[in-house]
Amino acid sequence: MTSNPQAAPAAASDQPSRGRLHGVSYWTVLALAAAGMLMTINQTFLLGIAGFQPLGNGFLYYLIGIFLAAAYLIFPARRADAARVPWYDWLCAVLAIVATGYLAIHALDIINMGWEFEAPTEAVAASGVLVVLVLEGVRRCGGWPLLAVALLFGSYPLYAAYMPGFLWGTDYDLAGTIRIHAMGVESIIGIPMQVVANLVIGFVVFGSALTITGGGEFFMKLATALMGRSRGGPAKVAVVSSALMGSLSGSVISNVLTTGAITIPVMKRTGYPAHYAAAVEACASTGGTLMPPVMGAVAFIMASFLGVPYAEVMIAAFLPALLFYVALLMQVDGYAARKGLKGLAPEEIPSIRQTLKEGWSYLLCLGALIYMLLFMRMEAYAPWYATAVLLVLSMFRSKYRMNWARVQELLMDLGRNVGNLVAVLAGIGLVVGGLSYTGVAGAFSRELLLYAGDSVALMLIAGAVTSFVLGMGMTVSACYIFLSVLLAPALVQAGLNPLGAHLFILYWGMMSYITPPVSLAAITAAGVAGADNTRTGLFAMRLGSVLFILPFLFVLNPSLILQGSVGWILLSATSALLAIWLFASALEGWLYRVGILGWPSRAVLLAAGATLIYPDPITDVIGLAAIGGVYAVHLLFRSKRPGAA
């Protein structure tokens, strides 16, 4: 599917080879996933099933062992193992459960007796096994670049005392380094793993249940009913359906492979070139991870780092994500207008009334989830209640009733998605722990502030470049966590809005999904479309170019993340919407009521869009005057050839 060697590990982690799990290995993964889900429900609702309620950090250790073992069985160590589970994967899975089981049983001893600083030999041995297994897990699920980062910073306590200047930190011997990583609360079992255990698993279950019971098909039909008739309808259907599904799944690659398998062939059939169809799907799927209500695991981690309810992150992310999708719709509409592409045939478009009649239960469950998140602030309980409602309603529809086959599919999704997440976040926990325990994280932020001086722009540019580069070799979650420790504190201390600063890092970390040379989403979509990887990546970068602008908009103007007075929010949103419309028109060379544009007019529209971006009434007036000038020129001095500019 891919010709990019850097992208291969990540692609493999999202979509493991089929046929690897069969027989005992298949049922073992299902059993592990079921155990993890039941344990999470038991812990979340304090049920005390069979008198079992892990104390201290015991719950975290149990979950790490369960899902790390599942990851070893699901994701192969090498391509040669793609169709089988060799003995050493079974050994690693057993060792993961044994090592974490020992630490879970002694979770209270770890806290009460300070094993983080001095521990029995067997505890150090179990910790060492866990650290080694985490490193191999992060290699399998995150790739070699992330392993290199985890090794470099995870081992930092061993040589921190020998580093110069602000890189100097507290040093530890080998046993001490192993202890702080396995038994300290800022490394493997730090905030990211706590978020997965307490929040993310519930949302993964909800997203899988929604898809398995027909939600994916419903959202595709709904998008087709809403957008299919308009010019360039298939591309607009791809944008809307990917936004809806991506907001619930949180996975870019799985979104491309599921919705893209339907939308890309339809776009090609109605006149879109293969590379353009793939680029549209790649951009739409990438944006889905930034679209509330569920977004991705990184949004929950962000809420925990900031110490705010998840609802606050969800609200802040809404308008930027909406602006991105509006820009994408405007661009595909302009392309369709310029190329004369039509919508779908009437017989291919489902009735909106019939679609809503068949799928109202999905909207009800989604509405219930949003209500519980926004108004009841039940982050931990909301996905479980919403899933329960969904499953009850599905029982009244024989086509999507939750039978044993669908239960197996849900458990396999849970094992795959959470296993991948646990392996990656445990590895990035080593990075956070190495920087935190040595004290280098705080020193780095102070030094960055010192070098940047009073230049906020310089810090933002440096942050954007760093986020983008790290995003090439790390997962989005890993990239965000790493920079939230090193970079975000400096941005906040420089006077920027904390939530805006963290979203800024997240957005720029997402760029590598659609930007060459990595462009993993574009490469995956190109594989579905049978298109050239590089050409698809370049078109995806152009279609998603608003992503390069949006982070600077909301980090400098918090009203775009819905913070501030209602009047200023409305003014800023209107100004940003106009700017995006102008950028889309300039990029596609098509302006409403004018037609095809020449390069001079496109340049003027780009300049006008730039003035509207800056949050100032004077620049807004200049931008509006430029728009009026373009329309006046084209309407008053239209050339003899209709539609030419």
Side-chain angles (χ1 to χ4, degrees):
M1 181 187 298
T2 175
S3 61
N4 189 335
Q6 285 182 292
S13 69
D14 274 297
Q15 192 74 10
S17 301
R18 294 180 181 180
R20 174 172 161 85
L21 297 178
H22 48 80
V24 176
S25 59
Y26 175 81
W27 293 108
T28 301
V29 169
L30 290 188
L32 289 170
M37 183 175 68
L38 292 174
M39 186 177 293
T40 303
I41 294 172
N42 180 57
Q43 192 76 6
T44 301
F45 293 94
L46 301 176
L47 300 178
I49 297 175
F52 181 74
Q53 201 78 46
L55 300 175
N57 292 316
F59 172 55
L60 296 176
Y61 285 120
Y62 281 126
L63 279 188
I64 291 171
I66 287 170
F67 286 107
L68 193 58
Y72 272 106
L73 297 179
I74 295 171
F75 303 107
R78 53 191 186 132
R79 295 185 186 276
D81 297 333
R84 66 189 184 95
V85 180
W87 65 268
Y88 44 82
D89 283 350
W90 283 105
L91 177 62
C92 289
V94 171
L95 286 175
I97 292 174
V98 171
T100 54
Y102 175 88
L103 295 173
I105 292 170
H106 294 90
L108 284 181
D109 292 332
I110 292 173
I111 297 173
N112 296 333
M113 302 178 68
W115 282 10
E116 177 184 349
F117 306 102
E118 190 68 40
T121 303
E122 59 270 21
V124 177
S127 299
V129 170
L130 177 58
V131 170
V132 172
L133 290 174
V134 164
L135 288 170
E136 170 58 12
V138 82
R139 183 192 70 82
R140 294 189 185 200
C141 298
W144 287 100
L146 187 54
L147 172 64
V149 172
L151 272 174
L152 176 65
F153 291 99
S155 62
Y156 201 81
L158 295 174
Y159 55 84
Y162 304 100
M163 299 300 290
F166 71 93
L167 296 176
W168 180 91
T170 306
D171 66 323
Y172 295 80
D173 59 15
L174 180 60
T177 300
I178 290 172
R179 286 197 305 269
I180 60 174
H181 281 314
M183 293 183 276
V185 294
E186 294 187 55
S187 188
I188 292 175
I189 60 169
I191 287 179
M193 199 60 66
Q194 294 167 29
V195 170
V196 171
N198 297 325
L199 293 174
V200 174
I201 291 177
F203 284 92
V204 171
V205 171
F206 173 73
S208 296
L210 189 73
T211 303
I212 291 166
T213 56
E217 182 181 336
F218 164 71
F219 286 124
M220 182 66 70
K221 288 177 67 176
L222 181 61
T224 305
L226 292 172
M227 294 288 179
R229 287 180 176 82
S230 61
R231 63 186 177 199
K236 294 175 183 176
V237 169
V239 172
V240 175
S241 61
S242 295
L244 292 171
M245 287 306 298
S247 69
L248 298 172
S249 71
S251 172
V252 175
I253 303 305
S254 65
N255 199 2
V256 171
L257 293 171
T258 52
T259 60
I262 300 172
T263 60
I264 289 174
V266 176
M267 282 189 276
K268 290 172 64 178
R269 179 166 53 82
T270 52
Y272 284 92
H275 65 273
Y276 193 90
V280 169
E281 182 58 46
C283 289
S285 295
T286 298
T289 307
L290 306 170
M291 173 65 86
V294 178
M295 304 171 68
V298 67
F300 298 94
I301 296 170
M302 182 187 300
S304 294
F305 275 142
L306 289 168
V308 300
Y310 171 68
E312 193 169 322
V313 174
M314 192 171 82
I315 292 169
F318 174 72
L319 186 55
L322 184 63
L323 290 172
F324 168 71
Y325 277 107
V326 168
L328 204 52
L329 285 171
M330 287 178 173
Q331 286 185 83
V332 297
D333 182 69
Y335 182 90
R338 188 160 50 85
K339 298 291 185 179
L341 300 176
K342 306 298 182 183
L344 291 170
E347 60 271 16
E348 295 183 83
I349 302 172
S351 163
I352 182 68
R353 183 177 179 179
Q354 185 63 27
T355 300
L356 291 174
K357 182 180 178 180
E358 293 175 356
W360 62 269
S361 58
Y362 304 114
L363 296 178
L364 176 64
C365 294
L366 194 55
L369 177 69
I370 294 172
Y371 179 80
M372 286 185 282
L373 288 174
L374 288 180
F375 300 103
M376 300 180 71
R377 300 299 174 96
M378 298 170 60
E379 287 95 343
Y381 306 105
W384 299 108
Y385 287 136
T387 303
V389 172
L390 177 67
L391 295 181
V392 169
L393 292 175
S394 71
M395 295 303 293
F396 297 96
R397 305 176 65 197
S398 58
K399 184 179 178 181
Y400 296 115
R401 192 170 293 153
M402 201 66 177
N403 54 28
W404 177 231
R406 290 195 174 98
V407 170
Q408 292 179 56
E409 190 178 348
L410 187 149
L411 291 176
M412 187 55 65
D413 276 353
L414 180 65
R416 179 186 300 112
N417 293 331
V418 180
N420 178 70
L421 200 56
V422 165
V424 169
L425 292 185
I428 199 64
L430 297 175
V431 177
V432 175
L435 294 171
S436 298
Y437 283 107
T438 56
V440 170
F444 185 89
S445 297
R446 290 192 299 271
E447 201 71 16
L448 184 60
L449 275 173
L450 181 64
Y451 280 120
D454 296 326
S455 176
V456 174
L458 182 61
M459 288 191 64
L460 288 176
I461 292 171
V465 172
T466 306
S467 302
F468 176 74
V469 171
L470 287 177
M472 290 183 180
M474 301 168 69
T475 65
V476 175
S477 297
C479 176
Y480 166 75
I481 294 167
F482 181 68
L483 291 177
S484 67
V485 173
L486 291 179
L487 181 62
L491 294 176
V492 173
Q493 290 177 48
L496 296 174
N497 179 277
L499 192 47
H502 281 256
L503 280 172
F504 179 87
I505 292 170
L506 171 59
Y507 263 70
W508 272 96
M510 294 289 297
M511 297 298 184
S512 62
Y513 271 110
I514 59 171
T515 308
V518 178
S519 56
L520 186 54
I523 289 171
T524 306
V528 175
D532 179 72
N533 290 344
T534 303
R535 194 175 186 191
T536 300
L538 292 173
F539 268 82
M541 185 173 66
R542 197 193 79 176
L543 282 169
S545 56
V546 71
L547 279 177
F548 294 89
I549 303 166
L550 271 176
F552 290 97
L553 279 177
F554 60 67
V555 78
L556 295 172
N557 186 7
S559 58
L560 288 177
I561 54 175
L562 303 182
Q563 295 190 1
S565 66
V566 175
W568 189 247
I569 289 172
L570 290 174
L571 179 62
S572 299
T574 303
S575 177
L577 190 60
L578 284 172
I580 284 171
W581 168 51
L582 295 178
F583 280 127
S585 299
L587 287 169
E588 293 300 333
W590 176 273
L591 185 63
Y592 296 104
R593 300 292 183 182
V594 170
I596 298 174
L597 295 174
W599 280 108
S601 297
R602 294 169 77 169
V604 172
L605 291 183
L606 280 175
T611 60
L612 287 168
I613 282 176
Y614 189 78
D616 185 89
I618 296 176
T619 56
D620 288 351
V621 171
I622 294 172
L624 292 172
I627 300 171
V630 171
Y631 270 103
V633 167
H634 284 276
L635 294 177
L636 294 176
F637 304 102
R638 201 183 285 270
S639 65
K640 293 181 181 180
R641 187 177 61 186

